[in-house]
Amino acid sequence: MTDLSTTLGRLRLANPVLVASGTFGYAKEMAGVVDFARLGGVIPKTVTRHPRAGSTPPRTFETPSGMLNAIGLDNDGIDHFIHHHLPYLRTLPTAIIANIAGESEDDFIAMAEQIGREAGLDALELNLSCPNVAGGIDFAIDPERTSRVVRGVREVCPLPLIAKLTPNVTDIVPVAQAAAEAGADAVSLVNTFVGMAIDWKRRKPILGNVTGGLSGPAIKPLALRLVWRVSRHVDVPVIGIGGIATLDDVMEFLLAGASVVQLGTVNFYDPTASVRIVDSLPGALASLGAASVREVVGTLRVG
């Protein structure tokens, strides 16, 4: 029998397929179409310390090879999440990984301390890299600042920590190393690439925020390379994110060095993709002569 289980430091998952924050709501929205028990885990929408109205519309735009979004972390704040969404999430038969974003280092620490006291969460993902919030991306472009946030959170929160990093840097490896050395159990690679769209007839940007985060198939080759690079230089597990929509995509990320993957943009147009991929994994692993996910992670043959 094929063993689909995998680990992210202290966190053990039934299989390596997660659904990414911001693409799956707070899970209840998907209850009618997805069997949560067949997922490795759910990462609900990012929450902030205080309610946020988000960016000025339009907030999304479909490109020929993906999607631009500038949602701006629209949410009702961490208190609302804990009292309104967490009770439902606790009932789900899969791992629940909360996702938080702060406007300052103190914000991250305060939220992590608060959410770390709550039952029903299996891990915490730190959104250090949202490109659509003023200052939000700054936490993951500077290794020292990344280190301070992760270390501060580590001191107050008992949950396994995942640092979600931005690709919008010259070299992502030092940032990932800083997160790992500061106490992150894993790193998520990558958040969206900053892009824009223009209505040339009106001489105006299409997004109300002018720029937004590009996700979907267009960024897969770029994300794949970053996962491969970081997995060879950092001693914590890597979570692959970026244009993953098929079984082939998942297998490529696993071979490149990802222990786990997150499906994001595909959830908007095919929310059942994650379940189909999980069902197809045993056959794909068997075709490589593997009886477990762990046997194929990082086994890309180069040279």
Side-chain angles (χ1 to χ4, degrees):
M1 184 175 179
T2 305
D3 181 7
L4 296 184
S5 68
T6 187
T7 57
L8 295 173
R10 298 172 289 144
L11 175 63
R12 182 178 176 84
L13 301 171
N15 67 65
V17 179
L18 308 178
V19 285
S21 177
T23 68
F24 211 71
Y26 295 101
K28 185 177 289 188
E29 299 91 329
M30 297 292 191
V33 292
V34 177
D35 180 358
F36 298 128
R38 290 158 74 186
L39 298 177
V42 169
I43 308 178
K45 181 174 170 56
T46 298
V47 293
T48 54
R49 193 171 183 181
H50 305 291
R52 288 184 57 92
S55 301
T56 302
R59 295 179 174 182
T60 60
F61 178 72
E62 184 177 356
T63 74
S65 53
M67 183 180 77
L68 281 167
N69 93 83
I71 303 299
L73 301 184
D74 178 359
N75 76 102
D76 292 319
I78 192 167
D79 290 337
H80 183 82
F81 172 78
I82 288 172
H83 294 108
H84 183 75
H85 296 297
L86 189 52
Y88 173 76
L89 291 167
R90 287 189 182 110
T91 69
L92 301 186
T94 190
I96 303 299
I97 302 172
N99 180 293
I100 62 172
E103 295 182 2
S104 66
E105 294 169 27
D106 289 343
D107 261 4
F108 274 106
I109 294 168
M111 283 190 291
E113 184 174 21
Q114 182 178 359
I115 212 165
R117 295 192 294 262
E118 298 296 327
L121 291 173
D122 297 278
L124 177 63
E125 185 175 60
L126 307 177
N127 187 353
L128 304 169
S129 50
C130 179
N132 305 313
V133 179
I137 205 169
D138 299 342
F139 297 104
I141 63 174
D142 178 358
E144 291 186 8
R145 197 168 190 194
T146 295
S147 178
R148 288 199 303 269
V149 173
V150 174
R151 183 170 287 108
V153 168
R154 176 76 292 152
E155 291 175 355
V156 301
C157 181
L159 295 170
L161 297 181
I162 302 166
K164 188 171 184 178
L165 305 181
T166 178
N168 301 295
V169 292
T170 304
D171 188 355
I172 198 171
V173 171
V175 183
Q177 289 173 330
E181 292 168 3
D185 293 86
V187 291
S188 294
L189 311 176
V190 288
N191 211 323
T192 54
F193 288 75
V194 177
M196 68 184 298
I198 293 174
D199 182 343
W200 68 267
K201 294 178 182 178
R202 296 172 59 236
R203 302 191 188 194
K204 289 188 174 183
I206 290 176
L207 294 175
N209 197 53
V210 182
T211 63
L214 179 65
S215 63
I219 74 167
K220 178 192 157 190
L222 304 172
L224 200 58
R225 182 186 75 88
L226 294 175
V227 165
W228 176 66
R229 283 202 67 226
V230 168
S231 67
R232 292 161 61 210
H233 293 93
V234 179
D235 293 330
V236 297
V238 173
I239 302 173
I241 318 169
I244 301 173
T246 67
L247 173 66
D248 290 336
D249 295 334
V250 171
M251 294 302 295
E252 290 174 32
F253 272 87
L254 292 177
L255 265 65
S259 297
V260 172
V261 298
Q262 292 181 23
L263 273 63
T265 300
V266 67
N267 293 321
F268 293 118
Y269 63 88
D270 185 6
T272 62
S274 54
V275 173
R276 289 201 310 276
I277 289 170
V278 170
D279 290 345
S280 301
L281 269 176
L285 294 170
S287 73
L288 296 180
S292 70
V293 169
R294 294 183 295 278
E295 290 177 52
V296 303
V297 171
T299 60
L300 182 69
R301 298 170 181 168
V302 179

